[in-house]
Structures are given as C-alpha cells and as structure tokens.
Amino acid sequence: MTTAREIMTPGAECIGAEESVLDAARKMTELGVGALPICGTDNKLKGMLTDRDVVVKVLGAGKDPSGTKAGELAQGEAVTIGADDDADEILRTMITHKVRRLPVIDGHQLVGMVAQADVARGLPDPKVGDLLEALSTD
C-alpha cells in the first residue's frame, strides 16, 4: 500500500506564527507554493496559511499584511497526516476535512506535504476521482 512518505513532496518549509503575512506571501512566491504550514516557536504545526487566506482574510479585509502575524490566521488544530499512513487514510483525511494539501509529519517533525496533485500522480485513477469529486462539492 502506498504511504504518504512515498507520494509527498519532501522538504516542506514553515512560516513562523510570529512572522508577518507579508513575509509568508514572499516565501510562497520564492518557493512557488500556494500554502505554507504555520509553525509555532515550539516547532509544532499551528495550522495552514494559503494564498487565498492572504487575499481574503488580510488584503480583502483591509488589514496590513506587514502588521498581521501568520499565526493570527491559524484556525483550530492543524489537519495533518502521518508519514507512514496509507493511501486510504490520506484520502479519508482530505475528504473528511475538505483540504487539498496535508502537512506530513513524522512524530512532531514536518517532513513534507501531500497535495491533491501528489495524490493524482501516486494513486490509482478511481481513488483520485473520488477525491476530486469530494473536494469539488460543498
């Protein structure tokens, strides 16, 4: 059975909870990604920050991105997947939480990200179809 470790994109980087949303946007641009995990000073995941969050919750709300901390946008507990969790667990987690990206953790250490595209490349077509259908409906 395929595991998260096998299909993930390794080397994911965090944005610190105390860093500004502007810094996060710059980091997203440099890395060519649309989301960053938010890490606290204890190196534990606090949530995810997406490019959509930057636009809607900061710019669209008239907030200053240089004065807004990334951690202010972390909502609830971060949804993650274990590095050795299998494909069924990846799909179940993405569908249940309606997320397109999952930080992959090994213990408490961030080791990568599984995105919808990674699932599409790494899993059989019927499972991918189920995921795409679930994520495109409200």
Side-chain angles (χ1 to χ4, degrees):
M1 179 60 75
T2 304
T3 65
R5 190 183 310 275
E6 293 170 321
I7 66 169
M8 73 181 188
T9 301
E13 292 190 32
C14 281
I15 189 72
E18 298 300 313
E19 292 183 71
S20 75
V21 171
L22 181 59
D23 290 336
R26 287 180 177 147
K27 193 169 199 175
M28 284 182 199
T29 300
E30 290 167 14
L31 297 172
V33 298
L36 288 171
I38 302 169
C39 294
T41 54
D42 56 1
N43 268 345
K44 289 189 180 175
L45 291 178
K46 304 299 180 192
M48 288 289 291
L49 178 66
T50 67
D51 47 9
R52 187 173 195 285
D53 292 332
V54 173
V55 172
V56 174
K57 296 176 182 175
V58 180
L59 300 176
K63 295 181 180 177
D64 175 9
S66 64
T68 304
K69 293 181 180 179
E72 293 175 34
L73 301 180
Q75 296 179 333
E77 195 165 319
V79 178
T80 63
I81 193 81
D84 297 316
D85 287 348
D86 66 26
D88 288 337
E89 184 63 24
I90 296 166
L91 292 169
R92 190 171 25 259
T93 303
M94 287 181 144
I95 291 168
T96 300
H97 296 280
K98 293 214 177 257
V99 295
R100 290 176 166 79
R101 302 170 185 98
L102 282 173
V104 180
I105 57 169
D106 194 352
H108 291 291
Q109 183 74 31
L110 176 69
V111 294
M113 293 285 289
V114 171
Q116 190 173 345
D118 298 318
V119 172
R121 281 190 298 271
L123 300 181
D125 288 345
K127 289 184 181 269
V128 173
D130 293 343
L131 174 65
L132 295 177
E133 182 180 345
L135 294 179
S136 40
T137 60
D138 290 316

